[in-house]
């Protein structure tokens, strides 16, 4: 296997890690409107991800940086062609981080409610837009012979990509719901379990349609296996949620995300960004990659740094592993 193939796999792993971890972050943000009934319950939801949300976003930075270094042509075409949706995602992530920190800085009802509304929308929009973006990457976009994006913003809003956005939004919300059930106690935990069944049923229908569409157009034997794993793990996650086994439900919903991302990257390879104008103008792991020397240096750096990051992040989750409820929420001090 050539180094550019290795880095294609590693970038797929980085995006998988980001969607697995940030997925339940986004889901919890959406649940601040769907699940929480009062301000203490909203504080419980936000506190479940408070110690880890910023660490989860490291995976996005790493995935973007790795794409820039390993496949500069892919990075240039992607970020120029998808400039507006990616800018909107970036603005949402910035506002979302500010909202987490500033929400409790003042006691006024309007102040806290406005920041909570910001958390909801800046969680919902990225969860949807990431699906739209990756749907377009897999489906292909208008790339000319100079590897420049030749389409417009409206070209990105096609049925396949919009369905992909609905899949990621519903899947991340389901992932967040089972995470809340895993991390909370009391009434909010019971309501999360019931909501997980409803959200999971919708997710299963959307995901099945999207995965079958993907498989029918671009799939092969390997991607078919990933499709089966994604569907089966989602169904089993629903069964586990119904039985009150939150740990298994969260693991299986995470496996659904992993398998779904695997389907996308398996159907994409060896392309990194197909052209719908002419297949010869598609960006591939070969014509979009950096030099072998650059990839070699990156491989050594990743081999040293990646285990350190994973150990430190795993330790963070271990430290903040206990369940919380409204009885653990202290009155704010301003």
């Amino acid at each position: 296997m050539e180094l550019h193939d290795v880095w294609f796999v590693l970038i797929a792993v980085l995006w998988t890690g980001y969607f697995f971890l940030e997925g339940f972050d986004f889901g919890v943000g959406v649940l601040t409107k769907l699940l929480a009934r009062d301000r203490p319950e909203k504080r419980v939801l936000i506190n479940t991800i408070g110690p880890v949300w910023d660490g989860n976003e490291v995976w996005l930075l790493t995935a973007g940086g790795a794409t820039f270094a390993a496949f500069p042509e892919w990075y240039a075409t992607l970020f120029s062609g998808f400039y507006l949706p990616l800018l909107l995602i970036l603005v949402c992530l910035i506002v979302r981080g500010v909202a987490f920190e500033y929400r409790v800085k003042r006691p006024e009802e309007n102040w806290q409610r406005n920041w909570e509304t910001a958390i909801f929308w800046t969680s919902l929009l990225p969860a949807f837009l990431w699906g739209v973006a990756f749907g377009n990457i897999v489906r292909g976009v208008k790339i000319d012979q100079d590897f420049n994006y030749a389409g417009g913003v409206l070209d990105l809003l096609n049925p396949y990509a919009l369905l992909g956005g609905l899949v990621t939004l519903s899947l991340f919300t389901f992932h967040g719901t089972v995470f809340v059930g895993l991390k909370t106690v009391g009434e909010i935990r019971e309501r999360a379990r019931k909501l997980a069944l409803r959200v999971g049923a919708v997710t299963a229908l959307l995901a099945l349609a999207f995965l079958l569409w993907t498989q029918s157009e671009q799939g092969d034997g390997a991607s078919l296996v990933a499709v089966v794993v994604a569907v089966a793990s989602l169904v089993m996650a629903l069964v586990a949620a119904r039985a009150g086994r939150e740990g298994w439900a969260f693991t299986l919903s995470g496996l659904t995300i992993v398998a779904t991302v695997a389907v996308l990257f398996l159907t994409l390879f060896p392309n990194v960004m197909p052209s719908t104008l002419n297949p010869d103008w598609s960006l591939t792991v070969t014509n979009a990659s950096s030099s072998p020397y650059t990839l070699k240096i990156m491989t050594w750096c990743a081999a040293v740094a990646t285990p350190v990051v994973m150990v430190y992040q795993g330790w963070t989750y271990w430290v903040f592993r206990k369940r919380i409820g409204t009885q653990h929420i202290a009155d704010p001090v301003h």
Side-chain angles (χ1 to χ4, degrees):
M1 181 181 287
E2 299 290 337
L3 277 179
H4 51 65
D5 297 331
V6 172
W7 273 97
F8 179 85
V9 174
L10 291 177
I11 288 173
V13 170
L14 290 172
W15 280 111
T16 301
Y18 173 66
F19 288 143
F20 182 98
L21 297 173
E22 191 79 332
F24 68 75
D25 271 5
F26 289 145
V28 171
V30 172
L31 291 177
T32 57
K33 290 287 188 181
L34 301 182
L35 183 64
R37 293 179 175 175
D38 51 31
R39 178 131 296 110
E41 288 192 351
K42 290 183 180 181
R43 291 180 62 188
V44 169
L45 293 180
I46 294 172
N47 285 359
T48 61
I49 59 173
V52 297
W53 69 266
D54 49 354
N56 294 343
E57 290 188 354
V58 170
W59 288 80
L60 173 61
L61 300 176
T62 308
T67 304
F68 172 77
F71 299 100
E73 287 284 357
W74 183 13
Y75 183 93
T77 304
L78 176 64
F79 279 78
S80 59
F82 294 17
Y83 180 81
L84 287 179
L86 292 180
L87 177 63
L88 181 56
I89 290 174
L90 178 61
V91 171
C92 284
L93 295 180
I94 293 173
V95 173
R96 186 168 176 265
V98 173
F100 282 137
E101 299 298 330
Y102 275 60
R103 177 183 152 275
V104 294
K105 297 299 183 182
R106 291 172 58 179
E108 290 87 348
E109 180 79 12
N110 287 340
W111 173 271
Q112 296 193 6
R113 183 172 60 247
N114 289 338
W115 284 120
E116 288 163 359
T117 300
I119 290 172
F120 170 77
W121 285 109
T122 56
S123 298
L124 185 148
L125 288 175
F128 175 74
L129 290 174
W130 279 127
V132 173
F134 272 85
N136 278 292
I137 291 173
V138 173
R139 171 183 173 270
V141 292
K142 296 178 180 179
I143 299 176
D144 62 23
Q145 58 186 349
D146 296 320
F147 300 142
N148 294 320
Y149 178 65
V153 175
L154 294 180
D155 293 320
L156 303 178
L157 303 179
N158 54 81
Y160 177 79
L162 292 175
L163 178 59
L166 292 176
V167 169
T168 52
L169 174 58
S170 60
L171 183 54
F172 291 168
T173 304
F174 174 66
H175 195 41
T177 306
V178 294
F179 178 77
V180 170
L182 179 66
K183 287 289 294 179
T184 59
V185 295
E187 184 182 352
I188 193 170
R189 176 189 177 190
E190 293 302 316
R191 293 206 312 273
R193 183 176 66 84
K194 295 177 181 178
L195 181 60
L197 298 178
R198 297 196 294 270
V199 174
V202 175
T203 302
L205 295 176
L206 293 172
L208 181 62
F210 179 74
L211 292 173
L212 290 179
W213 191 347
T214 304
Q215 179 65 25
S216 65
E217 290 195 349
Q218 306 178 63
D220 55 16
S223 62
L224 179 59
V225 173
V227 168
V228 172
V229 172
V231 174
S233 58
L234 181 53
V235 172
M236 290 188 292
L238 282 168
V239 173
R242 183 180 180 85
R245 303 294 298 273
E246 293 96 347
W248 279 107
F250 179 73
T251 301
L252 290 166
S253 67
L255 180 59
T256 304
I257 293 175
V258 171
T260 301
V261 177
V263 171
L264 298 181
F265 277 90
L266 285 170
T267 55
L268 185 61
F269 185 83
N271 294 319
V272 295
M273 208 165 178
S275 173
T276 57
L277 298 178
N278 188 331
D280 294 334
W281 298 344
S282 297
L283 290 167
T284 68
V285 293
T286 304
N287 64 21
S289 68
S290 295
S291 66
Y293 182 74
T294 300
L295 296 177
K296 184 177 180 180
I297 296 298
M298 290 176 60
T299 303
W300 281 108
C301 292
V304 174
T306 303
V308 175
V309 173
M310 295 184 71
V311 169
Y312 126 83
Q313 196 163 19
W315 177 80
T316 303
Y317 277 93
W318 174 255
V319 170
F320 295 101
R321 66 189 182 278
K322 293 184 178 180
R323 296 177 181 266
I324 61 173
T326 53
Q327 66 271 28
H328 301 116
I329 301 298
D331 293 331
V333 177
H334 298 279

